[in-house]
Amino acid sequence: MKNATSAAQFRRAPQEAPPRSGPIAPGWHTALMVILVLGPLIQARIAARLNPGAALQAPPAIPFYLTGALVLFIFLAFTWWGLRLRGHTLSRLVGGRWSNWKQVAGDIGLAVLFWALWYAALSALKLGLRAAGITNSQASGMIFPTTALQVGLFVFNSVLSGLVEELVFRGYLMTQFTAWTRSATLGVILQAALFGAAHGFYLGTRQVLLIFASGILIGAFALWRKNLRPAMAFHAWADIFGAVIVRGLPFQ
């Protein structure tokens, strides 16, 4: 009976929380991560100076989606390497794996509720920015899928983006910034600033500000939940909804 009780308690025990008490990777690795995050923006700005108007030329959809997937896999591998240098794992950074269907349903339910609040908040902010005259000029904008193949690639990229971008921004970078500044608030703000800047190479000023605000909201959500699973589900769904179902936030 005692062994059965212990086993039941073990099954009900919460999963291991992500490491948030100290840096999870060397400082030099994080510096390289920031350079990687800002690399496309820097390259786009240089290209725009050398060839004015180039930023307004949207690339073909399929090469754009395939390149995006490759970049996400590079970020995933680079994050894994940085964690390994300090003895951490991707699973621990996420906050553990699902152990039963109730956890899956609970996280998806939270993701849907958060998506509704996020959509309302960003819709209001978008109206305010539009009224203030902040536009998306000087950017190629989002490349929406139009064929079945493009939709399939976009959905794949959305799921991959939900996993990898949450690991990088709300996992790796937010944990590092929080540890260095000893402030969870600064950790959320700094990762959100990089999150917005990372999308600046093809989206306009208004969209970058919306994505910055989105990064703050998602960061606070992940901090509250103490794991990344609901944020990952939300991120993937938000991208799919905003490009495949309704061409709305955060791409307009």
Side-chain angles (χ1 to χ4, degrees):
M1 180 66 69
K2 183 176 179 180
N3 290 339
T5 301
S6 299
Q9 289 174 344
F10 177 77
R11 286 194 296 269
R12 291 195 298 267
Q15 301 217 9
E16 186 178 17
R20 299 187 183 277
S21 59
I24 54 174
W28 60 264
H29 184 273
T30 304
L32 290 177
M33 177 70 84
V34 171
I35 292 172
L36 281 176
V37 166
L38 296 179
L41 175 62
I42 295 170
Q43 186 274 333
R45 292 295 180 263
I46 293 174
R49 286 183 177 275
L50 296 176
N51 183 15
L56 301 178
Q57 300 170 4
I62 291 178
F64 182 76
Y65 297 154
L66 292 176
T67 301
L70 176 61
V71 169
L72 288 169
F73 278 117
I74 291 172
F75 271 104
L76 180 62
F78 193 73
T79 302
W80 172 84
W81 178 45
L83 295 174
R84 291 287 295 175
L85 292 172
R86 288 289 174 86
H88 298 298
T89 64
L90 290 173
S91 177
R92 189 181 176 198
L93 187 62
V94 171
R97 302 173 181 174
W98 285 311
S99 60
N100 55 63
W101 67 268
K102 290 183 179 180
Q103 287 185 346
V104 177
D107 284 346
I108 291 176
L110 281 172
V112 171
L113 288 174
F114 177 72
W115 171 78
L117 295 173
W118 167 88
Y119 196 93
L122 260 69
S123 294
L125 178 58
K126 183 168 73 171
L127 290 175
L129 293 174
R130 182 179 296 169
I134 299 175
T135 69
N136 288 328
S137 62
Q138 302 303 313
S140 64
M142 182 60 199
I143 302 169
F144 293 108
T146 56
T147 67
L149 176 59
Q150 290 176 13
V151 168
L153 287 174
F154 189 90
V155 169
F156 173 77
N157 266 23
S158 295
V159 174
L160 186 61
S161 179
L163 296 174
V164 176
E165 290 191 14
E166 292 310 310
L167 274 171
V168 171
F169 291 98
R170 263 63 69 180
Y172 178 100
L173 288 173
M174 193 165 80
T175 303
Q176 290 290 81
F177 292 149
T178 297
W180 289 342
T181 64
R182 298 183 180 179
S183 169
T185 300
L186 285 176
V188 170
I189 293 172
L190 290 172
Q191 64 79 24
L194 284 175
F195 187 53
H199 295 81
F201 72 100
Y202 72 98
L203 295 177
T205 302
R206 185 168 67 213
Q207 283 309 110
V208 169
L209 291 175
L210 287 170
I211 292 173
F212 167 68
S214 181
I216 291 179
L217 292 174
I218 306 171
F221 181 51
L223 196 64
W224 170 60
R225 290 304 302 158
K226 295 183 172 59
N227 73 75
L228 301 178
R229 295 189 304 269
M232 288 175 167
F234 151 79
H235 192 143
W237 167 246
D239 283 0
I240 293 169
F241 181 88
V244 177
I245 301 174
V246 174
R247 293 185 177 182
L249 288 166
F251 302 123
Q252 290 182 343

